[in-house]
Amino acid sequence: MKMNYEKNYYVVKAEEIEANYDAGGFAKTELLSGVYDGGIRSYKCFLKAGAAVTPELYADKTVVIFFGKGCGELEDCDGVHKITELSFYVPFMDQEGYEIRAGEDMEFIFNVVEMNEWDLAEFGRWHIKLPYFRRHSECVQYIQDCKGANTEARMILCTGWIGRIILGTTRANGEGTVEKGHPSVHQWNYCVGNSDFSMSVGYKEKNEMETINHKAGDWSFIPAGADHDLVSEPGKEVFYVWFEHFTDEEKFKEEEG
């Protein structure tokens, strides 16, 4: 799927995201609506302390949740999962319901991923066991040549685990990621922790790079193709969840090996 974008990146700052709570203490706002038409919609959710929510279930879509701020718990068919740090959850589509309960004010990103015929066929052939819950500290670390020597990177969802989505984190002080653009991979970034870093996006060979500051709670989207650096100055933190969608099924299959 080839899409034309007016800009190399799109950003919504944390302070620009409205939280219009319902009577139950829950708010949900779509992020960067209309920017990406490739089958992913993302929402910033807020849940007040003491409140609970039972999210919508989907038979033909994947949901991926990033719990970025505040402590609480999630209960599903596997029991009660304590949310005490950055955490991640993928429900089993419409097969099992779940409830999120806030011990203190929480915020999380709720991603809804459409599955085309190729995705559904691959999912039927092989996928990780669902539902899937992981706290950040439980996820495996990986090494990548585009990241600084002291940058911590963790893999949350590996290539092929669930359709064409890939998910991980990057965290560092005074360094981060300096990466060549992916021609078939779109990337979203959710800033967490004490983030205060620069994101530069564009084409280095043409000396066309734009830079914006990122802080905790911000959300950004980098269309496929552009180079992107996410780096902090010494004494400041870069900490973000990266979420990727591979648009070319055949090339994705090659990446799977």
Side-chain angles (χ1 to χ4, degrees):
M1 180 184 295
K2 179 66 174 177
M3 289 170 277
N4 296 316
Y5 293 93
E6 295 180 357
K7 300 190 293 184
N8 292 326
Y9 69 87
Y10 298 80
V11 173
V12 58
K13 305 294 290 181
E15 61 270 19
E16 298 171 347
I17 303 170
E18 295 184 358
N20 298 312
Y21 290 94
D22 62 19
F26 176 66
K28 181 180 180 181
T29 302
E30 187 168 2
L31 301 172
L32 299 177
S33 176
V35 168
Y36 182 60
D37 62 0
I40 293 182
R41 299 179 71 177
S42 301
Y43 304 83
K44 183 75 164 287
C45 297
F46 303 87
L47 191 62
K48 287 186 175 294
V53 63
T54 303
E56 182 180 356
L57 304 178
Y58 301 90
D60 58 349
K61 298 180 179 67
T62 300
V63 167
V64 184
I65 304 175
F66 319 151
F67 293 99
K69 186 177 180 181
C71 294
E73 60 185 26
L74 182 150
E75 184 170 6
D76 63 8
C77 59
D78 292 330
V80 176
H81 307 279
K82 297 294 184 182
I83 302 168
T84 55
E85 59 177 293
L86 175 64
S87 299
F88 304 89
Y89 186 69
V90 183
F92 190 7
M93 302 179 82
D94 64 344
Q95 300 300 302
E96 300 286 350
Y98 59 102
E99 183 178 65
I100 301 167
R101 299 187 284 263
E104 57 189 33
D105 288 354
M106 297 180 69
E107 72 171 45
F108 54 93
I109 304 293
F110 188 90
N111 302 284
V112 181
V113 184
E114 294 180 8
M115 301 180 75
N116 62 21
E117 291 184 7
W118 188 92
D119 293 321
L120 290 169
E122 288 297 297
F123 185 86
R125 184 181 66 82
W126 189 95
H127 60 83
I128 61 169
K129 182 181 182 299
L130 299 175
Y132 173 85
F133 177 87
R134 287 294 185 277
R135 284 176 284 271
H136 185 244
S137 60
E138 298 170 332
C139 297
V140 65
Q141 294 190 47
Y142 70 93
I143 305 299
Q144 189 177 15
D145 59 4
C146 65
K147 301 187 187 300
N150 298 306
T151 296
E152 176 190 296
R154 292 182 183 266
M155 186 62 69
I156 316 302
L157 292 174
C158 296
T159 304
W161 280 14
I162 302 177
R164 290 170 289 129
I165 56 175
I166 316 166
L167 176 63
T169 65
T170 299
R171 187 176 194 178
N173 183 312
E175 52 182 46
T177 302
V178 177
E179 192 162 12
K180 184 71 177 171
H182 315 297
S184 300
V185 179
H186 298 290
Q187 178 173 318
W188 292 260
N189 307 293
Y190 174 40
C191 305
V192 294
N194 296 311
S195 283
D196 185 357
F197 66 94
S198 295
M199 182 180 77
S200 299
V201 185
Y203 296 88
K204 293 178 182 176
E205 292 180 358
K206 300 178 182 180
N207 292 317
E208 297 176 357
M209 296 291 285
E210 299 175 79
T211 299
I212 187 171
N213 178 258
H214 254 328
K215 291 190 175 179
D218 293 353
W219 177 260
S220 59
F221 169 61
I222 304 173
D227 303 329
H228 43 280
D229 302 345
L230 296 91
V231 179
S232 66
E233 297 177 356
K236 295 183 178 181
E237 181 173 61
V238 52
F239 191 7
Y240 63 95
V241 180
W242 56 262
F243 181 47
E244 297 181 345
H245 192 212
F246 213 110
T247 61
D248 189 314
E249 289 93 339
E250 291 305 315
K251 287 185 179 179
F252 184 82
K253 202 163 187 178
E254 292 174 8
E255 290 281 332
E256 268 190 291

